[in-house]
Amino acid sequence: QVQLVESGGGLVQAGGSLRLSCAASGRTFSSYAMGWFRQAPGKEREFVAAISRGGGSTDYADSVKGRFTISRYNARNTVYLQMNSLKPEDTAVYYCAATLMAIATMDHAYDYWGQGTQVTVSS
């Protein structure tokens, strides 16, 4: 089993940056591909970014391409989401998730989820 804890959320002005972190428990972190999802009030959860087990493959939602970067540091059991040029529409609770699939963009493919961290972007 994997436990995930997100951190790094907060309030930022439009155009600013934040880096989210997700720390995983257990010794098998490198066995999981990781993803970031977000859910805004009144909206469904949506895919943001994903990274393969070794970090060699990544995938992004069109809405964040060129602004967000997902990375991972397996020795520290951590995955990151660097968010630049933030927009008010990026406001949401951000979740990290783990899957045994190679890489996935669908939330039902993920087996473990963190509790989420709030990101608020003011205009």
Side-chain angles (χ1 to χ4, degrees):
Q1 192 168 355
V2 177
Q3 292 185 330
L4 304 172
V5 179
E6 302 95 336
S7 61
L11 173 65
V12 64
Q13 289 188 333
S17 298
L18 282 175
R19 188 177 80 157
L20 304 183
S21 299
C22 174
S25 65
R27 300 180 180 178
T28 59
F29 178 69
S30 60
S31 298
Y32 293 88
M34 301 296 295
W36 286 96
F37 291 77
R38 66 186 181 187
Q39 188 167 21
K43 294 187 177 181
E44 293 187 352
R45 186 166 57 191
E46 65 175 359
F47 168 74
V48 175
I51 189 166
S52 59
R53 300 182 190 95
S57 296
T58 58
D59 199 357
Y60 296 92
D62 288 343
S63 59
V64 306
K65 278 181 182 176
R67 300 189 299 122
F68 291 11
T69 302
I70 188 171
S71 61
R72 66 189 297 163
Y73 192 166
N74 284 348
R76 293 182 179 175
N77 284 10
T78 304
V79 62
Y80 304 97
L81 185 67
Q82 178 68 43
M83 305 186 295
N84 298 330
S85 302
L86 282 161
K87 304 175 181 179
E89 51 263 44
D90 294 318
T91 295
V93 177
Y94 283 72
Y95 299 89
C96 73
T99 177
L100 287 172
M101 294 182 65
I103 192 168
T105 63
M106 305 294 289
D107 59 0
H108 62 73
Y110 285 82
D111 304 296
Y112 302 103
W113 293 82
Q115 83 290 346
T117 186
Q118 176 71 47
V119 171
T120 303
V121 184
S122 63
S123 56

